[in-house]
């Protein structure tokens, strides 16, 4: 690594990989991309397991976006399989569509509402909350306490270790409410998975003579040995600043894989278990990869307090700590920050790509 790089990029997830590709391709910059893991792709990484089933190492990752520029960009590196995500929630022994829709309510309550009937029912049970202050308010102000308790309260507690009233509204706001029978999980314009896997998408994105990749490498171990002009960092922001303002809270997750000698295990790719078991969901990737295989692999997701930081925790106390780090980050002229963990934002993949493209644009054409 004796040579000089224009950019040292930390983290080979979407954020770091997109900005590396852009710098190498458009500006002919020499990039050293490092990741402490043994693969590129960050949390979106997938691979073929021992049985030959394509699985997602860090939980189901479904690409979805309303951004035309993001969709155009990712289409350069993959063909997309047109998958539409659907999720069921196991409640009172029934598997019901989530987000809550007409079918969910009619089946659970043994009713026969039409759209107007559902609106009238929800109007009668919703709580009148003035200002929406937290993730509980979001739900009970739309569907009332009964449905909140069945679908949101316990799931959220398992997922985050706190009840919804301790979390910012943005957490449960991610889940819409539908008055019709539309059972898509996301309502975005574009959706799907790369036909031959995310890992291939990243291989193609990063196959450029200007990009050198160093895996199994924590950047702090090499930073004093590498010559570079600029740094782009997409890891946890508190780690970057040696926790000088204290540790930010992150939520972790354990993934338990099981391969079964049958073609399919469940009806859809994801079944949520809000009230039963310690895991939040069971994922079966064959539904969204569309792989044809005599066996299947399922994954149970167990949220945990400690371990690899997967989720920034959207609560006020964490936001206050993040603001202190943001102020430090703003002072640095040759370091740029992009990504889910350094922005401490609940980004989806497309938002990480969008933010990386914006960062590249600001580097390519700096504002005067
Ligand atoms: P990451 O993908 O996390 O990449 C950051 C990289 O930085 C990692 O590879 C890490 O190893 C590396 N790194 C960190 N610190 C260091 C260091 N010190 N030195 C070197 N390398 C370092 N989004 C969707 O759009 N759809 C979904 O269905 C979806 N499902 C998800 C399910 C789960 C369980 C999780 C946790 C997230 C999900 N997401 C989903 C969000 C998605 O994972 C993120 O939006 C995306 O990964 C953000 O990309 P990133 O590059 O910012 O971060
Ligand atoms: N949620 C819930 N019950 C569900 C699905 C989601 O309570 O069946 C809540 C939970 O707090 C979750 C949040 O809504 O963290 C956002 O859900 P989403 O599926 O967007 O989370 P992701 O797993 O993608 O981070």
């Amino acid at each position: 690594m004796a040579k000089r790089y224009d950019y040292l990029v930390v983290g080979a997830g979407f954020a770091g990989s997109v900005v590396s590709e852009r710098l190498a391709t458009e500006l002919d910059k020499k990039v050293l991309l490092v990741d402490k893991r043994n693969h590129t792709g960050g949390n979106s990484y997938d691979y073929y397991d021992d049985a030959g089933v394509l699985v997602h190492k860090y939980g189901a990752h479904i690409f979805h976006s309303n951004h035309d520029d993001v969709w155009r960009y990712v289409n350069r590196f993959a063909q997309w399989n047109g998958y539409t995500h659907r999720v069921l929630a196991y409640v009172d022994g029934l598997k019901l569509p989530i987000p809550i829709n007409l079918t969910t309510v009619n089946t659970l309550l043994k009713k026969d509402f039409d759209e107007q009937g559902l609106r009238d029912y929800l109007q009668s049970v919703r709580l009148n909350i003035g200002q929406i202050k937290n993730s509980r308010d979001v739900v009970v102000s739309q569907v009332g306490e009964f449905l909140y308790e069945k679908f949101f309260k316990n799931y959220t507690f398992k997922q985050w270790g706190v009840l919804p009233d301790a979390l910012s509204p943005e957490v449960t706001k991610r889940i819409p409410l539908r008055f019709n029978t539309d059972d898509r999980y996301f309502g975005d314009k574009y959706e799907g998975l790369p036909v031959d896997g995310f890992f291939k998408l990243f291989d193609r994105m990063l196959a450029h003579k200007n990009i050198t990749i160093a895996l199994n490498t924590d950047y702090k171990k090499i930073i004093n040995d590498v010559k570079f002009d600029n740094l782009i960092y997409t890891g946890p922001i508190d780690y970057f600043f040696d926790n000088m303002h204290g540790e930010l809270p992150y939520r972790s997750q354990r993934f338990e894989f099981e391969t079964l000698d049958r073609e399919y295990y469940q009806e859809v790719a994801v079944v949520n278990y809000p009230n039963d078991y310690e895991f939040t969901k069971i994922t079966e990737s064959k539904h969204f990869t569309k792989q044809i295989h005599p066996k299947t692999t399922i994954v149970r997701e167990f949220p945990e307090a400690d371990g690899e930081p997967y989720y920034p925790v959207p609560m006020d106390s964490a936001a206050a700590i993040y603001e202190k780090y943001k102020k430090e980050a703003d002072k640095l002229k040759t370091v740029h920050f992009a990504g889910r963990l350094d922005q401490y934002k609940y980004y989806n993949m497309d938002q990480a790509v969008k933010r990386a493209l914006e960062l590249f644009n600001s580097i390519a054409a700096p504002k005067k």
Side-chain angles (χ1 to χ4, degrees), residues 152-165:
F152 287 91
K153 184 178 170 188
N154 300 329
Y155 184 103
T156 300
F157 189 75
K158 272 198 254 183
Q159 179 69 41
W160 298 99
V162 292
L163 287 170
D165 57 11

